[in-house]
Amino acid sequence: NAGVTQTPKFQVLKTGQSMTLQCAQDMNHEYMSWYRQDPGMGLRLIHYSVGAGITDQGEVPNGYNVSRSTTEDFPLRLLSAAPSQTSVYFCASSYSRRGARSGANVLTFGAGSRLTVL
Amino acid sequence: QQQVKQSPQSLIVQKGGISIINCAYENTAFDYFPWYQQFPGKGPALLIAIRPDVSEKKEGRFTISFNKSAKQFSLHIMDSQPGDSATYFCAARTQGGSEKLVFGKGTKLTVNP
């Protein structure tokens, strides 16, 4: 049981390049999400998904795309990277309320992907 | 619009002391309030959580106090240890089908030996 796995751990891009941050979970969680963490800004929600085929925008979605073709995977795409997207990105997953086994539903985070855009 | 306001931004306490981190919210639709702990280079991990129908929850040295009328909640770390040095985030979840959390900006706690 690996939990939430993010790749790559580190990436350097040039402005205008595209890339995909990968996220996979093996806990059969329905809910998956992407956050970015910037100094002094906390964790801000980019996109989330409540199940395969369903995605929605969070607080800071501009410049990012997501898709959810399987329960396990939730990739985050940067189509044209900008220096403002330099950040640490976290993928997180949990059971949905319907599938939660206990009252407190735990959002489990990956180890993060540090992205630098030059 | 910051939905969850957290203070202080940083906190330094001596070993054995009490660490207190405060959060405030406006949205009365929030129905679940977790605290996350993050060590450098790691992802946040759930520390303790509370629901608004409970005024206090204690797990070991960690206690959440919840004041529904004031729309405030706080984390107390008793007998703080150097190993508690980390960044702490409060969060809140909205009622409804989504599990999305909104987070405070975080508090960097340093416990000096």
Side-chain angles (χ1 to χ4, degrees):
Chain A
N1 188 341
V4 178
T5 302
Q6 291 184 234
T7 56
K9 293 189 184 302
F10 302 94
Q11 183 70 49
V12 178
L13 291 177
K14 294 181 179 179
T15 297
Q17 287 185 316
S18 63
M19 78 156 300
T20 299
L21 299 178
Q22 301 291 345
C23 176
Q25 53 88 10
D26 60 358
M27 298 173 284
N28 202 30
H29 284 170
E30 292 176 301
Y31 177 82
M32 296 187 73
S33 56
W34 279 101
Y35 286 85
R36 61 177 289 172
Q37 183 176 20
D38 303 291
M41 298 298 292
L43 294 154
R44 293 181 292 170
L45 182 64
I46 305 171
H47 285 286
Y48 66 97
S49 169
V50 298
I54 306 169
T55 63
D56 206 346
Q57 296 181 351
E59 179 185 358
V60 288
N62 293 338
Y64 307 95
N65 281 348
V66 293
S67 61
R68 185 92 179 272
S69 57
T70 66
T71 299
E72 294 79 17
D73 301 299
F74 191 46
L76 179 71
R77 297 182 184 86
L78 286 71
L79 299 179
S80 179
S84 61
Q85 294 178 304
T86 294
S87 187
V88 181
Y89 292 85
F90 288 99
C91 180
S93 71
S94 72
Y95 291 107
S96 68
R97 297 183 197 215
R98 186 175 67 251
R101 297 174 185 172
S102 66
N105 205 4
V106 178
L107 191 64
T108 301
F109 282 82
S113 296
R114 182 176 294 274
L115 174 66
T116 301
V117 182
L118 303 175
Chain B
Q1 178 187 0
Q2 186 182 356
Q3 297 195 56
V4 179
K5 295 184 178 180
Q6 183 172 347
S7 62
Q9 187 173 357
S10 63
L11 179 63
I12 300 174
V13 301
Q14 294 300 119
K15 178 182 177 181
I18 302 174
S19 303
I20 301 174
I21 303 170
N22 300 299
C23 284
Y25 65 96
E26 289 296 326
N27 188 347
T28 57
F30 289 145
D31 70 345
Y32 174 65
F33 300 88
W35 284 87
Y36 280 78
Q37 180 187 55
Q38 183 183 30
F39 293 106
K42 305 292 186 181
L46 180 68
L47 182 64
I48 187 173
I50 197 167
R51 295 190 182 280
D53 54 348
V54 177
S55 61
E56 185 176 282
K57 183 174 182 180
K58 183 177 181 180
E59 292 184 0
R61 296 185 292 109
F62 300 90
T63 300
I64 300 178
S65 297
F66 189 86
N67 186 329
K68 188 174 181 178
S69 61
K71 291 184 281 186
Q72 296 175 347
F73 58 110
S74 60
L75 176 69
H76 291 65
I77 305 174
M78 311 299 288
D79 187 26
S80 297
Q81 299 297 312
D84 297 331
S85 297
T87 299
Y88 293 81
F89 294 95
C90 61
R93 184 186 70 184
T94 308
Q95 289 178 335
S98 170
E99 293 304 313
K100 62 180 180 179
L101 295 178
V102 290
F103 285 83
K105 292 188 176 183
T107 297
K108 184 177 181 179
L109 171 66
T110 302
V111 181
N112 289 328

